[in-house]
Amino acid sequence: MENGQEETKVETVTNDAVDDEVKNEKPVSNVEENATKQISEEPSNELLERIKTQIEFYFGDVNMQRDKFLIEQTKLDDGWVPMTVMLNFKMLASMSQDTDVILKAIESSELMEISEDKKKIRRSPKHPLPVYNEEYRKAQEARTAYVKGFPLQDTNIEKLKAFFNDYEPFENIVMRKYQDKEKKLQFKGSIFIQFKTLENAKAFMARESIKYGDTELIRKWSADYSVDKAKEKEDRRQKRSEMKAKKSESGKEKDDKSGDENESEKDSVLPKGCVIHFSDIPDKCTREDIKDRLGELDASIAFIDFKIGDKEGWVRLQGENTAKAIIDKMSESKVLLRNKLVTCRVLEGQEEKNYLIMAEEQMANSRTKHIKGKKGKKGRNTQRGQRKRRNSETNDSVAAKKMSVD
């Protein structure tokens, strides 16, 4: 099936910024008068097929999950969309601006219907849209593969569609892109391809070799790719934290000492009623999975105390007494993580107090450890000369102001 889209992670991917491909294709205000002249001769079968598959993509399960403009249009007249509106979609208009040609192309479509006056089209009520819930998203992911190894230059969605037409039937292709320093989109050389069925996806992944030109393509299941990227992201986050810690300023020690008296006896200064505990977490669950699920519940997350492989975890939210509101949005205090219902609860009483004090102590210990490490470096610098020591102190002072405790 011919269709396509582009992913841009400013990831998030984003939120996404795209050019003229289908994913975020926006209808133009009007069709330019000097656009391509209407086709006067009989359209080729190839053109008719391209138009048909493009229309079916617009009204297909994938696009109708996120195309806000088309979704709103289908709500206005029992699903019917005027051809004058359809012609405002750039990709379709680039194929033909002749409504007779477009209608002829979809006469054989099982998905689409044409109105009696031939002025409107709609997705057939015989093919209702699926329910876009967690189960559906998991099914989408299960039949999606990550493929890498395409040329960074001179690769476009049409070439990719033509290439994959020789393999198992697919529903959608996402070209992964990023913004360069000039905010122009650049292809990453990798895609996500969603197949029509799980069996199609398995057959594609089971192929011994798939080459694009002379290059052997790297293939992974989408779920496995997500886990690998989450691990890489966590590693980078930890390295960044370590680098920031090394730049902490020794003068911060005075602030730590002034707030250190009777630490074990005083109450936590972190907000109360903000910690959610997760238990019996699936093995491949990541911090990003937890973040995404709570994000769907409009949670404002301050910190996630969890790493891949743990069976339990804690999420500290921003603001006092915010955890209960998020739990109340769940069904029976459970949330779906990696296709498994995980039980959640709000920390209360002494258990909450102990956890918050522990969190503060860990933050304070981390600061102290980094400060002591910096003091040791200062001692070595003193032996090398007074000027070096002064320079070190000045640079550290600047870095400390940027340090993030949590």
Side-chain angles (χ1 to χ4, degrees):
M1 179 174 183
E2 290 187 23
N3 50 57
Q5 54 178 310
E6 299 175 342
E7 174 195 79
T8 306
K9 294 213 169 182
V10 181
E11 214 153 1
T12 171
V13 329
T14 194
N15 220 333
D16 305 337
V18 300
D19 53 14
D20 58 352
E21 297 292 355
V22 174
K23 178 181 179 183
N24 283 343
E25 180 183 346
K26 303 297 182 184
V28 294
S29 57
N30 52 59
V31 180
E32 297 181 4
E33 295 181 0
N34 294 327
T36 306
K37 294 182 179 180
Q38 302 297 315
I39 299 176
S40 58
E41 57 188 34
E42 189 70 16
S44 66
N45 291 334
E46 181 183 359
L47 175 60
L48 293 176
E49 184 64 22
R50 287 179 60 207
I51 293 173
K52 173 186 172 183
T53 52
Q54 187 62 38
I55 293 286
E56 288 180 339
F57 171 72
Y58 287 143
F59 289 87
D61 294 351
V62 175
N63 194 57
M64 289 301 293
Q65 182 180 357
R66 59 177 168 266
D67 192 327
K68 294 181 180 179
F69 176 81
L70 194 55
I71 291 172
E72 290 302 317
Q73 289 294 315
T74 59
K75 293 178 180 179
L76 300 178
D77 184 18
D78 196 25
W80 293 108
V81 180
M83 290 304 299
T84 53
V85 172
M86 295 306 304
L87 286 175
N88 285 329
F89 284 89
K90 292 186 292 184
M91 189 167 288
L92 177 62
S94 70
M95 297 178 186
S96 176
Q97 296 176 32
D98 187 335
T99 56
D100 290 336
V101 171
I102 295 173
L103 294 176
K104 182 176 181 178
I106 61 174
E107 284 178 349
S108 61
S109 174
E110 295 182 2
L111 182 68
M112 302 303 300
E113 283 187 355
I114 302 172
S115 65
E116 292 184 4
D117 60 7
K118 298 186 181 301
K119 292 183 179 181
K120 296 177 288 187
I121 61 174
R122 72 175 179 181
R123 177 175 172 137
S124 172
K126 296 178 181 179
H127 299 279
L129 289 169
V131 178
Y132 296 117
N133 54 18
E134 184 67 19
E135 182 180 356
Y136 178 81
R137 286 191 289 271
K138 288 295 181 182
Q140 278 187 312
E141 183 182 49
R143 61 178 188 270
T144 300
Y146 165 83
V147 186
K148 179 180 179 180
F150 302 98
L152 300 181
Q153 305 296 328
D154 197 33
T155 300
N156 57 43
I157 198 67
E158 292 300 327
K159 290 183 179 180
L160 291 171
K161 289 186 290 186
F163 173 76
F164 282 103
N165 278 337
D166 292 334
Y167 296 92
E168 282 68 28
F170 62 91
E171 284 186 333
N172 192 37
I173 294 176
V174 179
M175 292 182 69
R176 302 185 66 246
K177 296 193 174 187
Y178 69 96
Q179 284 186 348
D180 60 18
K181 293 181 179 180
E182 298 178 354
K183 295 187 177 181
K184 293 182 179 180
L185 289 172
Q186 303 294 340
F187 181 42
K188 290 184 175 182
S190 58
I191 67 166
F192 287 110
I193 178 168
Q194 179 179 312
F195 293 91
K196 284 191 174 180
T197 67
L198 180 58
E199 289 69 26
N200 294 150
K202 288 180 177 179
F204 175 80
M205 294 298 287
R207 287 177 176 268
E208 184 176 349
S209 173
I210 297 179
K211 290 185 176 182
Y212 191 87
D214 296 329
T215 303
E216 182 69 31
L217 295 177
I218 297 171
R219 291 169 286 162
K220 289 183 181 181
W221 287 108
S222 176
D224 293 337
Y225 170 81
S226 297
V227 171
D228 292 342
K229 294 301 291 184
K231 288 181 179 178
E232 290 178 13
K233 187 174 182 179
E234 180 67 16
D235 290 343
R236 290 196 300 269
R237 186 192 67 80
Q238 291 180 357
K239 289 180 180 179
R240 286 196 299 267
S241 297
E242 292 172 0
M243 291 176 65
K244 288 182 180 180
K246 291 177 181 179
K247 297 179 181 179
S248 61
E249 183 249 339
S250 62
K252 197 88 174 175
E253 189 173 12
K254 293 181 180 180
D255 294 335
D256 293 338
K257 287 182 178 180
S258 65
D260 196 39
E261 67 279 357
N262 299 322
E263 180 67 23
S264 61
E265 296 180 3
K266 68 178 183 177
D267 291 336
S268 169
V269 297
L270 291 172
K272 294 182 179 180
C274 67
V275 181
I276 298 177
H277 176 263
F278 291 74
S279 59
D280 196 22
I281 300 175
D283 293 337
K284 291 187 177 182
C285 182
T286 67
R287 288 164 55 95
E288 290 301 313
D289 290 330
I290 297 175
K291 180 180 178 182
D292 290 344
R293 292 297 166 265
L294 292 186
E296 293 172 359
L297 301 176
D298 300 323
S300 297
I301 298 173
F303 186 77
I304 299 177
D305 184 1
F306 173 79
K307 63 180 182 295
I308 296 176
D310 288 350
K311 290 300 181 182
E312 63 176 349
W314 296 262
V315 175
R316 179 159 50 83
L317 305 178
Q318 298 178 15
E320 192 167 349
N321 297 323
T322 51
K324 185 178 183 303
I326 300 302
I327 293 291
D328 289 343
K329 293 182 180 181
M330 301 177 184
S331 176
E332 299 181 351
S333 299
K334 294 182 179 180
V335 66
L336 195 64
L337 294 174
R338 289 279 164 183
N339 212 26
K340 180 179 180 181
L341 286 174
V342 175
T343 302
C344 308
R345 62 185 177 86
V346 180
L347 287 193
E348 297 177 325
Q350 189 61 42
E351 184 181 17
E352 177 194 32
K353 182 177 179 180
N354 292 342
Y355 178 82
L356 293 179
I357 290 176
M358 178 193 69
E360 287 185 339
E361 288 177 349
Q362 288 177 344
M363 292 160 59
N365 290 338
S366 178
R367 291 195 298 269
T368 302
K369 178 181 177 182
H370 301 150
I371 291 168
K372 288 181 178 179
K374 198 63 184 181
K375 286 182 67 177
K377 289 184 178 181
K378 286 183 182 179
R380 292 193 295 273
N381 290 338
T382 301
Q383 298 174 3
R384 297 173 187 170
Q386 186 68 17
R387 178 175 296 179
K388 179 66 174 179
R389 182 184 65 80
R390 287 200 301 269
N391 289 342
S392 177
E393 289 177 352
T394 302
N395 293 336
D396 293 340
S397 178
V398 174
K401 295 179 182 178
K402 299 180 180 179
M403 186 183 72
S404 176
V405 175
D406 195 2

